[in-house]
Amino acid sequence: MKHTLERFIKHYSFYLGGDQPAVSRVERLRSCAGAFVGLVLVLTVAKLLGEFSGIDEWLMASLGASALLVFALPGSPMAQPWAVIAGNTLSALIGISIAILINQPLLAMPIAASLSIMGMFILRCLHPLAAAVAMIAILGHVTHYRYALFPVLIDSVLLVLAGAIYSNLTGKVYPNRPK
């Protein structure tokens, strides 16, 4: 009975995070501190730019999730500058276009997300959170292309810069360099 229970627990622990690699406390703290410092810097600069330009929309809602990739998984192909910047910007452009063309959110959101995924495949800039950027444009009724430039492009560039500075200061190489 005990052997069966252990096998059952081991088999199903996969579905409860059993496949996640162990991460040291130091690396956890480095990642969390980086995300905090990076987001504070990005949000502060973006807010100041928004106030300076008179634009109320200065925040990209999926920025926190992108920060997870940039600061906790800086070696991931999906956290590299091209993926973050181009993936988010392309998806914003697609989401805005679909918001303009299709007035039904339940149809527009999956179309925008799937087209943004296709676009990211074509441009080789897969960034998982970018598909959410396309859907956010639909949910927010965003119909002006300026949104793709500010906040999406600017926030993405600022996040990548903050990630590069922080990671390299704390001993992580970011972005990845070709070998």
Side-chain angles (χ1 to χ4, degrees):
M1 179 73 173
K2 182 180 178 187
H3 183 65
T4 305
L5 180 61
E6 287 174 359
R7 187 179 324 148
F8 176 82
I9 291 170
K10 183 177 181 178
H11 177 76
Y12 287 101
S13 70
F14 170 84
Y15 299 105
L16 300 174
D19 62 334
Q20 297 291 307
V23 178
S24 72
R25 283 191 176 105
V26 170
E27 182 58 22
R28 290 178 196 176
L29 289 173
R30 190 201 70 76
S31 298
C32 292
F36 175 78
V37 169
L39 286 169
V40 165
L41 290 172
V42 171
L43 295 174
T44 301
V45 170
K47 177 123 174 80
L48 290 173
L49 288 173
E51 289 174 359
F52 178 72
S53 62
I55 297 173
D56 291 333
E57 300 157 334
W58 52 270
L59 172 63
M60 179 177 68
S62 62
L63 198 61
S66 289
L68 179 136
L69 284 176
V70 170
F71 290 97
L73 300 169
S76 168
M78 295 178 188
Q80 299 312 300
W82 176 249
V84 176
I85 296 166
N88 281 332
T89 305
L90 172 68
S91 296
L93 290 169
I94 290 170
I96 294 162
S97 297
I98 298 300
I100 292 168
L101 295 172
I102 301 173
N103 197 22
Q104 295 296 324
L106 291 178
L107 180 60
M109 286 190 295
I111 289 173
S114 60
L115 287 177
S116 72
I117 292 167
M118 179 57 72
M120 287 185 285
F121 269 122
I122 292 168
L123 294 181
R124 299 177 56 105
C125 58
L126 285 172
H127 183 63
L129 300 313
V133 172
M135 293 177 64
I136 289 166
I138 306 294
L139 289 171
H141 309 288
V142 178
T143 56
H144 40 79
Y145 288 100
R146 180 213 31 88
Y147 180 80
L149 298 176
F150 183 68
V152 175
L153 174 67
I154 299 298
D155 285 1
S156 297
V157 168
L158 291 171
L159 183 69
V160 164
L161 289 173
I165 293 167
Y166 183 83
S167 290
N168 287 291
L169 286 175
T170 59
K172 290 282 185 182
V173 175
Y174 179 81
N176 282 348
R177 290 168 179 78
K179 295 177 183 179

